[in-house]
Amino acid sequence: INRLKDLKRIEVLQADLFSYKTFENSSFLYLNVNQFIVIETGQAIYGLDLSKDFKVIKSGKNIEIMLPNIELLNLSVNPDSIDFIGLKKGMFTSQDHFEALKKEVSVELYSQLKIKARNKQLLDQAEKNARQIIYSMFKSLGYENININFRKHSH
């Protein structure tokens, strides 16, 4: 049990997320058209933050464990994995402005990935994985009746 407290966090699920957006804007009576497609992939890591309060009640071969919510521990996007396809810069658009447009759309996509990362199915799968990991851990320590509960996450 002290080993569990020492862990600080347990990562239980890794999910690859995908988002894309088609961007187009024009000005000067459609003479200056900027357009491109951005594809962004991210990696979400789910797990338990054991630095938060959790409770363990032992009684012989029985143990009850109250764990914190499963949460998104990390969401990362490798900048090298962001793809821009069909880049078309308008003739009146400066390169700096065009780069700023690309960055702006990329930031929007990151926000979309954050929303996708909070998907109920992913959180439920992470909870299921955590339950199996914690159960196996305590089963290997000789406990027979293992009751695992989580503070419920809000979706």
Side-chain angles (χ1 to χ4, degrees):
I1 293 161
N2 286 335
R3 202 176 329 146
L4 192 61
K5 289 179 181 175
D6 290 342
L7 287 176
K8 303 285 187 251
R9 77 184 215 173
I10 300 175
E11 295 178 0
V12 298
L13 180 68
Q14 175 180 311
D16 292 324
L17 304 173
F18 170 83
S19 194
Y20 74 94
K21 181 173 183 170
T22 301
F23 175 84
E24 182 173 341
N25 79 350
S26 59
S27 56
F28 302 115
L29 303 172
Y30 296 98
L31 294 174
N32 190 51
V33 177
N34 297 296
Q35 62 185 172
F36 51 85
I37 298 170
V38 184
I39 299 171
E40 205 165 279
T41 55
Q43 185 178 72
I45 307 282
Y46 301 87
L48 297 166
D49 180 353
L50 297 176
S51 68
K52 295 182 177 173
D53 193 34
F54 69 95
K55 224 176 7 178
V56 176
I57 302 168
K58 298 184 292 182
S59 174
K61 296 280 183 189
N62 302 321
I63 191 163
E64 184 169 342
I65 306 147
M66 174 59 81
L67 295 166
N69 286 340
I70 289 293
E71 57 185 89
L72 175 64
L73 298 174
N74 189 36
L75 175 62
S76 61
V77 174
N78 179 346
D80 295 335
S81 74
I82 301 171
D83 289 323
F84 294 92
I85 299 170
L87 292 170
K88 182 179 173 190
K89 182 177 81 65
M91 64 177 141
F92 301 117
T93 303
S94 72
Q95 188 62 40
D96 285 346
H97 182 67
F98 192 64
E99 293 302 320
L101 289 174
K102 288 166 50 181
K103 183 174 173 120
E104 184 180 310
V105 173
S106 182
V107 168
E108 282 177 36
L109 282 180
Y110 184 77
S111 295
Q112 286 180 17
L113 288 176
K114 284 199 309 194
I115 292 167
K116 286 182 177 192
R118 302 209 185 307
N119 175 294
K120 180 182 178 348
Q121 290 172 314
L122 290 171
L123 290 166
D124 288 347
Q125 182 61 52
E127 185 175 298
K128 181 180 173 185
N129 292 1
R131 189 177 300 279
Q132 290 171 342
I133 290 167
I134 300 295
Y135 180 88
S136 296
M137 193 159 101
F138 283 99
K139 193 72 169 168
S140 72
L141 294 173
Y143 290 96
E144 293 173 5
N145 297 313
I146 303 162
N147 187 11
I148 301 167
N149 294 297
F150 296 88
R151 292 185 191 94
K152 278 294 147 197
H153 46 254
S154 56
H155 298 295

